[in-house]
Amino acid sequence: ITTNGAGAQTPAGELRFPVGKVLDASAFPRLVNLTNNGAITVQNSAVFGTPAQPYGNFVSHGSVTALGCSIRATNVEISGLIDSGPGPINLTASTAVLRDGVFNAPFNNIILGAGSLVISNQTLRAGHNLTILATNTLTDGVTDGLSSSGNIWTAGVLGFNLPFEPPVATLLGTTITAI
């Protein structure tokens, strides 16, 4: 664990998990809310919350770098980097706001599931499939069809999947490319 010195202007620090150590519920058994303004680096998979015990809030304005990343929380707010290296990125939340960031899973899937999912100025890079599961709302914030949300999404060899259209949905300012 690194942190800023006394009198630092920001509370940004870093958590580094060594090779062979998994970041999961056993690492922080009583953790309910997580705010990351620095960097979390895991030389294995990173699991934030479980189906039985999701976090209340997962907020990251910094970076999370791991060999696969799973986030389960009631509320999610991310405006930084989630880089899963060779592993997948799985996000499950009641409400998720993804802004001004990057999700990078160059050799695997990105699966985003939420009741309400707001995505703006977000880069999503999936090497396999990019799946969006939004049950109530899916929006990039663009309503006129002329503006750009800044969203650039790339789905890999297995393509882009939106298994069902949420009742409130608009991605008018989003560019989705399947390669």
Side-chain angles (χ1 to χ4, degrees), residues 62-80:
S63 67
V64 176
T65 305
L67 303 179
C69 185
S70 175
I71 301 166
R72 288 185 177 265
T74 302
N75 301 301
V76 171
E77 178 183 314
I78 300 174
S79 66

Side-chain angles (χ1 to χ4, degrees), residues 144-167:
D144 62 11
L146 303 173
S147 304
S148 172
S149 68
N151 285 338
I152 307 282
W153 301 354
T154 305
V157 295
L158 299 177
F160 175 74
N161 300 302
L162 183 66
F164 50 88
E165 184 178 345

Side-chain angles (χ1 to χ4, degrees), residues 39-118:
I40 298 173
T41 305
V42 184
Q43 299 295 317
N44 206 323
S45 63
V47 178
F48 301 98
T50 65
Q53 190 173 7
Y55 288 1
N57 297 287
F58 179 92
V59 178
S60 182
H61 301 293
S63 67
V64 176
T65 305
L67 303 179
C69 185
S70 175
I71 301 166
R72 288 185 177 265
T74 302
N75 301 301
V76 171
E77 178 183 314
I78 300 174
S79 66
L81 170 68
I82 305 289
D83 190 333
S84 68
I89 297 173
N90 293 302
L91 183 146
T92 304
S94 296
T95 301
V97 177
L98 312 177
R99 279 203 175 99
D100 305 320
V102 175
F103 278 27
N104 190 42
F107 305 106
N108 220 303
N109 305 319
I110 295 176
I111 301 173
L112 306 177
S116 173
L117 182 57
V118 177

Side-chain angles (χ1 to χ4, degrees), residues 119-122 124 130 138-142 145 147-154 160 170-177:
I119 307 177
S120 179
N121 200 34
Q122 186 77 21
L124 303 176
L130 172 58
L138 171 61
T139 183
D140 60 9
V142 174
S147 304
S148 172
S149 68
N151 285 338
I152 307 282
W153 301 354
T154 305
F160 175 74
T170 174
L171 295 174
L172 293 174
T174 297
T175 301
I176 304 171
T177 305

